[in-house]
Amino acid sequence: MTTMEIKLWNDKREREMYDNFGELYAIIKATERLEKAYVRDIISPQEYELECQKLIAHFKTLASTLKDTVPSIERFADTYKMECPAAINRLVVSGVPATVEHRTTAAASASTSAATVAECVQNFITSMDSLKLNMVAVDQVHPLLSDLYASLNKLTILPPDFEGKTKMKEWIARLSKMGAADELTEQQARQLHFDLESSYNSFMAALPNAALVFLPAVVWFECLSS
């Protein structure tokens, strides 16, 4: 009985194309397994990142070579029923290892928090300075306390019952019942300044140890007010 050899290609060019298809298939499958291993803590973040970077680099090179024959990686995966959603996300959507992605997100979050801390410090100091300058009319004080309260609420590291939030909310409610031209009495202004100073000290104590990142902004605004 004779066997017939079935050719998958007609020429060298087609053979190279199918070889590349096989390599692309292997990269996607390997990336899927790597993603699952990382999620399950089977490999360390360092090992994962190194291997993932290699796979991404190979994928980018191969995808560029196959851009005319494989215009859509998602369609390629569907055609061969690969079912590799994690790999498609890592290779096509993200393009960087999960460890790098998380570090970038954390850095962005820290940057945003630092900016919000600086905003809070500025609002605290501006509010206290305005009282020292005898700016005690409701239409002068109310906007400053509103800005301070809003900035404190943006900072997620502060608990909901943080002293500064509670006191500023109470003062804003009290001022809202007064006329715009009304002024705080000397006793009220003194109490408000005391509450602001107390809240500011609590605010600084509430910042995490990692908040050394925030120090330049804090020092800058404190220097401006001195």
Side-chain angles (χ1 to χ4, degrees), residues 24-225:
L24 178 61
Y25 186 97
I27 289 173
I28 295 173
K29 281 292 187 181
T31 304
E32 184 73 15
R33 288 196 293 270
L34 183 64
E35 289 293 308
K36 288 180 179 178
Y38 174 62
V39 169
R40 294 169 184 168
D41 285 331
I42 297 173
I43 59 173
S44 70
Q46 292 79 12
E47 290 173 318
Y48 161 80
E49 186 169 325
L50 179 62
E51 293 306 315
C52 193
Q53 284 174 334
K54 289 179 184 177
L55 286 168
I56 290 171
H58 289 320
F59 169 76
K60 287 181 176 178
T61 302
L62 194 56
S64 177
T65 303
L66 292 171
K67 64 182 178 181
D68 293 329
T69 50
V70 186
S72 170
I73 301 299
E74 292 92 334
R75 192 176 301 169
F76 176 88
D78 288 341
T79 300
Y80 294 99
K81 304 185 186 306
M82 299 188 68
E83 297 182 0
C84 297
I88 296 299
N89 177 68
R90 186 62 49 216
L91 297 170
V92 180
V93 180
S94 173
V96 294
T99 45
V100 174
E101 198 171 50
H102 297 159
R103 281 201 299 272
T104 303
T105 302
S109 177
S111 175
T112 301
S113 295
T116 306
V117 166
E119 184 182 340
C120 290
V121 171
Q122 182 183 24
N123 288 332
F124 264 120
I125 292 173
T126 301
S127 298
M128 288 188 283
D129 284 350
S130 67
L131 293 176
K132 290 177 184 177
L133 296 171
N134 202 34
M135 296 171 62
V136 292
V138 170
D139 60 357
Q140 293 174 317
V141 179
H142 189 282
L144 298 177
L145 297 189
S146 295
D147 287 346
L148 173 57
Y149 183 63
S151 61
L152 290 172
N153 281 325
K154 284 195 291 185
L155 200 60
T156 55
I157 60 172
L158 298 176
D161 59 348
F162 173 66
E163 174 190 351
K165 292 183 182 180
T166 304
K167 288 185 176 179
M168 291 312 107
K169 186 177 180 180
E170 290 172 355
W171 273 105
I172 290 170
R174 191 180 309 173
L175 293 172
S176 296
K177 296 176 183 177
M178 300 169 63
D182 290 344
E183 294 187 351
L184 298 178
T185 64
E186 184 179 344
Q187 184 178 358
Q188 287 174 323
R190 186 172 180 178
Q191 183 63 48
L192 175 55
H193 189 278
F194 176 82
D195 287 344
L196 283 166
E197 194 166 22
S198 173
S199 297
Y200 177 70
N201 291 333
S202 297
F203 171 76
M204 296 305 296
L207 295 182
N209 292 333
L212 286 174
V213 199
F214 308 143
L215 192 57
V218 173
V219 172
W220 171 255
F221 286 116
E222 286 187 335
C223 286
L224 285 179
S225 67

